[in-house]
Amino acid sequence: MSEEVKVEQAEVTQEESMANVTFLKKGDIVKGKVIKVDSDQAIVDVGYKYDGVIPLRELSSVQIEDAAEGIGAGQEVELKVLTIDDHKEKLVLSKRAIDSEKAWDKLNADMENKTVLEAKVAEVVKGGLVVDVGLRGFVPASMVERTFVEDFSDYKGRTLRLRVKEMDKEKNKVVLSQKDVLDEEFDVKKKETLSKISVGQTLDGTVQRLTQFGAFIDIGGVDGLVHISEMAWHHVETPSEVVKEGDKVKVQVLKVDPENERISLSIRATQPGPWQSISSIKTGDIVTGTVKRLVNFGAFVEVAPGVEGLVHISQISHKHVATPQEVLKEGQQVQVKVLDMNPDEKRISLSIKETEEAPAREPREPRPERERAPRKQESISHEEGFKTTLGDKFGDMLSKFK
C-alpha cells in the first residue's frame, strides 16, 4: 500500500472518530459509568474523549468522609458538567446537582401527598439531625421522637421514617419530622386499643412517666393513669416509692372514656388487699402500730400495711384527755390492744390504755365528826318540860270536872 493511501485512510479514521466525539459544555447533563472510586473522588466514563471526575463534595448533598459512601464502581449515574477544559483534559462533574434537582420535585410531591420517607442520618448537629433525602434535609430535635431526647450522639447512621414539613428552594431549606409519623401511628393504635379494653380487665403495662399525682402506664399503644391513691394499699407520698420509669407492672382497668381518650388504672387492685393479710391478728392481741392521723374523737393507728384501726379518745389514756394531740403525734409508734375486729366492714377498734396498768387510786381523807348532844336525852327533857307546862297551865280547869 502506498504512503498516499495510508495517509488518506488515517485521515478518514480521524474524521470518523471526531464525528463520534460528544461535544460538551458547562451545564450539560450527561450519563456515565463509574470506573474507579478513590477516597476523595470518583472517575467516570461519560463517552467523552477523556474521563470525568466527581469530587467528594459533589457526590452527596450531605457531608461524607469517603467517596465510597456516596457512589460505587460500575454504577450508572446521571451527572451535570460543572467545568470543562479540553486543553488540560479536565472534566469536573456533579452528582449532587442532579440529585438535588430531582429531589426538589419529588419532595414537593411527597409533602403534598404526606408520603412517609426513609432516610439515613448523615450528621448530628446542634439543634437536630441532618438526613440525606437527595439533598440536605434537617430534622429538628423536637421532631425526632414523641418524647424528649437528651442525647442524639448514637443517631448517626440510623434510618428514620419522615414526613416533609417545610420546603424553601430559594433558601435550600427542607425540614422533616419523624414525630408526625410516630404521632399518627400512636393515634391509630390508641383508638384500636380503646375499642378493645373494658372495665375490670387486668393488663400488662410499662411505666412511661411519673408525676406528682400518679404514673402513666403504657398498656399497648395507649397510656392510662394510675392515680397515687391506686398505687398501693398503704398510703403513698410520691409515686417513686412504688414504681420507676420502665418498670413492668400489672394494672386493672377502672374506667374507660373513649371520647376523651382517658383510661383510669389501678395497681393495687391487682394485689391482695391488706385486710386479707391480717388473719394473724385476733381480738385481745397486743400489737405495735403507727399513729397515722389524729382527729377530734381519737387516733387512727396502722397495725399492718394499709390496715388502720381507731383508738377512741376514751381509750387513749387512763387519765382524762381533752384532745388526742395532748398525748399523741402522727408517726409515733404505740402499743395497742385489739378490742374488736370486723374485717368484712374493714374496721378495728383499738385501745392504748388497755396496754398500760391503771394507776392506783389515792386513799380518801376521813371526814371530820360533828359535835352534838345525845338525841335521847334531849327528847326526854323536852317531853318533861312539855308535861310540866300543860299541868301548870290547865290544872285548875281540869279539877272542875272531877
Side-chain angles (χ1 to χ4, degrees):
M1 184 180 294
S2 66
E3 290 294 328
E4 292 181 357
V5 173
K6 290 181 180 180
V7 170
E8 287 178 0
Q9 286 181 344
E11 287 177 353
V12 170
T13 303
Q14 187 176 5
E15 286 176 0
E16 290 177 351
S17 178
M18 291 295 292
N20 293 330
V21 172
T22 302
F23 291 95
L24 298 177
K25 63 182 183 299
K26 182 179 179 180
D28 283 350
I29 306 299
V30 296
K31 290 184 178 180
K33 184 176 183 179
V34 179
I35 57 176
K36 185 181 180 183
V37 178
D38 297 324
S39 61
D40 60 346
Q41 65 180 13
I43 310 301
V44 186
D45 177 9
V46 294
Y48 196 54
K49 53 188 174 181
Y50 49 86
D51 295 330
V53 176
I54 310 173
L56 183 65
R57 66 179 182 278
E58 294 298 331
L59 280 169
S60 175
S61 297
V62 297
Q63 182 179 346
I64 57 176
E65 302 297 328
D66 192 288
E69 296 178 30
I71 205 165
Q75 186 176 340
E76 299 283 347
V77 288
E78 192 172 17
L79 306 162
K80 185 174 185 178
V81 177
L82 297 183
T83 60
I84 183 168
D85 188 337
D86 287 333
H87 293 291
K88 296 181 179 180
E89 293 190 351
K90 183 178 181 181
L91 175 60
V92 180
L93 306 166
S94 174
K95 178 178 179 290
R96 178 174 65 89
I98 298 299
D99 290 345
S100 296
E101 285 298 325
K102 290 181 178 180
W104 281 112
D105 294 336
K106 180 180 181 300
L107 290 173
N108 188 56
D110 289 339
M111 185 168 67
E112 290 181 2
N113 298 327
K114 296 184 178 180
T115 305
V116 176
L117 317 174
E118 287 194 355
K120 187 173 288 187
V121 177
E123 298 176 66
V124 177
V125 296
K126 184 178 180 181
L129 307 173
V130 174
V131 293
D132 185 0
V133 286
L135 46 79
R136 190 179 191 275
F138 180 64
V139 185
S142 61
M143 297 183 185
V144 177
E145 304 287 354
R146 294 189 66 246
T147 55
F148 174 74
V149 178
E150 186 174 355
D151 184 12
F152 289 100
S153 59
D154 63 342
Y155 271 68
K156 186 174 181 180
R158 285 195 193 182
T159 298
L160 305 182
R161 292 177 300 125
L162 304 161
R163 185 167 285 151
V164 182
K165 290 279 288 183
E166 182 183 346
M167 291 179 64
D168 190 331
K169 192 171 183 179
E170 291 183 1
K171 296 181 180 179
N172 197 35
K173 179 181 179 182
V174 178
V175 178
L176 305 104
S177 171
Q178 178 172 251
K179 182 176 180 295
D180 285 5
V181 177
L182 299 177
D183 282 346
E184 187 175 287
E185 292 176 348
F186 176 80
D187 288 341
V188 171
K189 197 168 185 180
K190 186 175 186 179
K191 289 178 181 178
E192 182 181 349
T193 303
L194 281 167
S195 67
K196 292 180 179 179
I197 65 174
S198 58
V199 173
Q201 271 186 300
T202 298
L203 305 169
D204 292 320
T206 304
V207 179
Q208 291 296 306
R209 58 192 177 94
L210 303 180
T211 67
Q212 291 181 342
F213 52 85
F216 284 94
I217 313 295
D218 177 7
I219 53 174
V222 59
D223 288 352
L225 174 66
V226 176
H227 191 268
I228 193 169
S229 61
E230 291 292 335
M231 301 202 76
W233 286 105
H234 62 273
H235 178 70
V236 178
E237 291 288 343
T238 61
S240 58
E241 293 177 17
V242 182
V243 295
K244 63 180 183 297
E245 291 183 5
D247 279 357
K248 304 294 183 182
V249 294
K250 281 194 176 296
V251 292
Q252 186 177 103
V253 180
L254 300 181
K255 185 178 179 183
V256 183
D257 184 354
E259 187 175 342
N260 295 309
E261 298 184 343
R262 292 179 181 174
I263 303 173
S264 297
L265 304 170
S266 173
I267 292 175
R268 76 174 189 173
T270 66
Q271 302 169 345
W275 290 87
Q276 298 173 359
S277 62
I278 59 166
S279 57
S280 59
I281 299 178
K282 303 289 189 299
T283 299
D285 287 352
I286 294 177
V287 296
T288 301
T290 304
V291 178
K292 288 295 184 178
R293 291 178 291 140
L294 297 176
V295 292
N296 292 334
F297 53 85
F300 286 94
V301 177
E302 186 179 58
V303 293
V307 178
E308 293 182 6
L310 174 65
V311 179
H312 191 268
I313 192 169
S314 63
Q315 292 294 327
I316 290 178
S317 175
H318 289 284
K319 298 180 180 179
H320 174 71
V321 176
T323 64
Q325 289 83 353
E326 289 180 14
V327 291
L328 298 174
K329 61 182 179 180
E330 292 181 0
Q332 181 179 343
Q333 297 285 313
V334 291
Q335 291 284 309
V336 290
K337 183 176 182 178
V338 181
L339 301 181
D340 183 54
M341 285 188 64
N342 191 333
D344 293 336
E345 295 183 8
K346 298 180 180 179
R347 289 192 303 182
I348 301 180
S349 297
L350 304 170
S351 173
I352 294 175
K353 78 176 186 180
E354 288 293 322
T355 66
E356 302 169 348
E357 186 177 349
R361 292 185 179 182
E362 296 180 0
R364 294 182 179 180
E365 295 182 3
R367 295 180 180 179
E369 295 184 3
R370 295 177 181 176
E371 295 181 0
R372 54 188 178 181
R375 179 177 291 275
K376 187 175 181 181
Q377 186 177 352
E378 289 179 358
S379 300
I380 295 172
S381 300
H382 179 73
E383 185 180 352
E384 289 176 351
F386 178 72
K387 288 178 179 180
T388 302
T389 303
L390 289 176
D392 292 342
K393 187 172 182 179
F394 298 107
D396 295 338
M397 187 180 295
L398 292 172
S399 65
K400 295 178 179 181
F401 295 97
K402 292 181 179 178

